[in-house]
Amino acid sequence: MSHKIGVFLLKLSRILWCSAAILVPLVMFPWTTDHFDFNKAFVLVILGTGIAASSFFGMALTKSLRVKMHPVLLLPAIFLLVTALSSVFSLDQATSFIGEGGQEHTSLLMGIFLYILLLLGAIFLEDEGFQKSLSSALLVGSAITGALTLVTFVGISIPPFQNTVGVPTAFAVYMITMTMFGTCVFLTEMGQETKAKSWAMKISFALTALATALTLIAFDSILLWALVIVSTLALFTFVFARPELLQKTAILAVPGLFLSLAIVFIFVQSPLHGKFPLEVSLNQNSSLTVVRLTLAAHPIIGSGPGTFGIDFNRFAPPELNSSLFWDTRFSSGMSEFFTLLATHGVLGFIALLLFPLALGLFAFRTVVSTRTDWHRVLPPLVGGITLLGAFFLFAYTVTTVFILMIFAAWIAAITLPPSRDVSHAHSPRLALVSSFGVLLGSVGILVAVFVSLTRYGAEIAFAKAVARDREGGEAMEIIKLLNTAATLNGRNDGYYRNLSNALLIQTSKVAADTKADPAVIQSYLASSVNAAVMAANIGPNDVANFQMLCTVYREFSSVVKDANNHAISTCEKAVTLAPNNPKYLVDVARTYIVRVDLLNALANGDDKEVAKTAKDAQAEALTKAGDALSKAIELKGDYASARYYSAFVEERKGNLAAAIQSMEVARALNQKDVGVSIQLSLLYLRQGKNDLAEKELLRALDLDPKNDNLKWYLSVAYEAKGEKEKAINLLQDLVKTNPDNETVKTRLEKLQKNEPAPKPVIPEPIEPTLPPAESTAPSAPVTP
């Protein structure tokens, strides 16, 4: 009975292999923030554990242990050791060990799973029948993926299924690979025992090739055409090495057509150019800069798997600030080659390179040998060459590394010495070792599944929180979901960072209520600070964590002792982590501006000595704020936020003319930002330029006719010009929209009584005035 169960489990393992070949490229779910790789990694781990468990238990129950031993199969283990060492000293251990932020395929966990699958695949793929089944599954997966893309070309949209692989270039690379693989499958007549199966394979291959051709023409990328040329030339090289393949002229027309298309469209623009969604990635020069500086800091084992985003923040070239993507965080380089060199170092790159080189030598030797089974190596070999070519041209995804692992296992199964069956039916020692191995493997599988399930649950909760926030949902529901995500996955700093931000906004809302319980406010404030501190502790090299911590401390500098000092130190830490991004220099300046305002009470007090000390401290703070803003403007001359806060610095120095000049520049850079217009009009009013204030406020009202602040300050401008009837009309409108605002009512009554006001005092805004849109701060700036 146990033997039959073991045989069933071994068959189940093969079914799971084929299921993974179909599902991994297709899986994408809308209930997580990352629809693609996060879900693919989860499915791969679940199916991988199923494959490993069914294989191990199947061999144990059939009392036969199959082993394939060869030095080449130990080379990936060397790379895993380097990866483990790099993960221990990583700049982000959670990402390196488990994988976060779209870098699941680089994690140590994924590497271990792929290596286990490689060893198992190298054994089971010795069976030619399994090879044919797996080749069918691979082509069925690519056919479905391609078919979903084909319908978009004829005008039928099935969002978000136009591309289930992930980023557009990854989809294109996958389709090119499967087209070349399928060509070799038919070239070597694999998987065509029955007429029905033959037709199914032919339809799958036809859909794959057609979708690939249309995708390439729509992309019209020189790098993709270069990959096509490399893969087709490799295929034709093997064809000429084996003249018997030249008889298959019909199937050889497919790579011939692709080669012709590549040659033509390298020089002529495609008629479908630009029809495919654009993808933004680092160029070669920027990637080289980040890699070179990262290797200078971490030459041997790199910065850690999955940490390219941290490297980019630290070493991004200043030239990027002149582009539209100056504040974009790139989590990978132009290609996997650049990414791996930075994150795994020289040692990691060499360790990885050894395996494909050694395996490739065995594969080439087999293809040109007199072995009768040489043709079985050709499909995975050509597919593997295509993916290795993509290694130097494009970034990898979970789909890419999984397909590459299948090809490597396939080649190893055929070209390396066959596996040996070691029976332990009559060997107590071997039975004991086998049982212990099964037990150890079971524990490992349970741990891996538990970690994956908790991570997945956390991501679902986080995605719900994001969706509720976009829908304008209740703050407490969003906070509860974020807290659930952070509890389930306590190693994800992003969850804590977003929780801190949500708590910060909730604290501000509660504090605005004069009847709120101070204990409740204190509780929200403490929770916000604790969440931000936790994020910074988990990700001490992620600049976003310190920006969040800086924001929390800055917003409550007036109510928390030494909060401003903490805000300054965390802002300066953010600058060290991303020295070429002007955004964090502006945060430093804003924090110093808050310090200046906090010292006003002392500077205007009766104690002259204390007042002098406070004024000196204010002057020092304004100088440091000005220096930070000058550096920000030097890095990015068209940065509106830097000009915006430069005006505040000049205003606090008493230089209204310079303040107006800076704010005018900010307005010119951000003409649709009503907050900038309000601040500029306030400066005009303070300088007595009432006509300019009126003109600016009227311009802003055209952009936002329902903005009460604009009407409020426009009434001040009218009053200053002596046009009280216009001011009264505006205030009467404001009373209707703000019936509970006593300030508006009082001012209206004063004007209606015609009380003299030669120089009206500029009142506080009715509602918060937001800084320029590019600022991510959750609260309003201090108005002059």
Side-chain angles (χ1 to χ4, degrees), residues 116 151 163 172 212 272 277 310 324 417 421 465 526 558 583 591 610 653 655 681 700 709 767:
I116 293 172
V151 297
N163 168 18
T212 304
L272 296 179
I310 293 174
L324 293 174
D421 286 332
S558 60
K583 178 170 68 176
T591 309
V610 172
K653 288 180 178 179
N655 192 347
S681 64
N709 272 348
E767 54 193 22

Side-chain angles (χ1 to χ4, degrees), residues 97 101 340 400 445 515 672 679 777:
F97 278 107
L340 186 134
T400 313
I445 287 170
K515 298 179 181 179
K672 294 184 178 181
Q679 298 298 339

Side-chain angles (χ1 to χ4, degrees), residues 379-402:
L381 178 57
V382 173
I385 290 173
T386 304
L387 290 179
L388 288 177
F391 175 80
F392 295 96
L393 298 175
F394 305 101
Y396 274 6
T397 62
V398 170
T399 300
T400 313
V401 296
F402 175 61

Side-chain angles (χ1 to χ4, degrees), residues 396-450:
Y396 274 6
T397 62
V398 170
T399 300
T400 313
V401 296
F402 175 61
I403 299 297
L404 187 58
M405 182 278 302
I406 288 179
F407 290 157
W410 193 324
I411 295 171
I414 300 172
T415 62
L416 299 182
S419 58
R420 295 183 293 114
D421 286 332
V422 182
S423 177
H424 51 70
H426 305 292
S427 175
R429 292 188 181 90
L430 186 58
L432 179 63
V433 172
S434 178
S435 300
F436 178 74
V438 169
L439 178 62
L440 188 63
S442 301
V443 172
I445 287 170
L446 288 174
V447 170
V449 170
F450 175 77

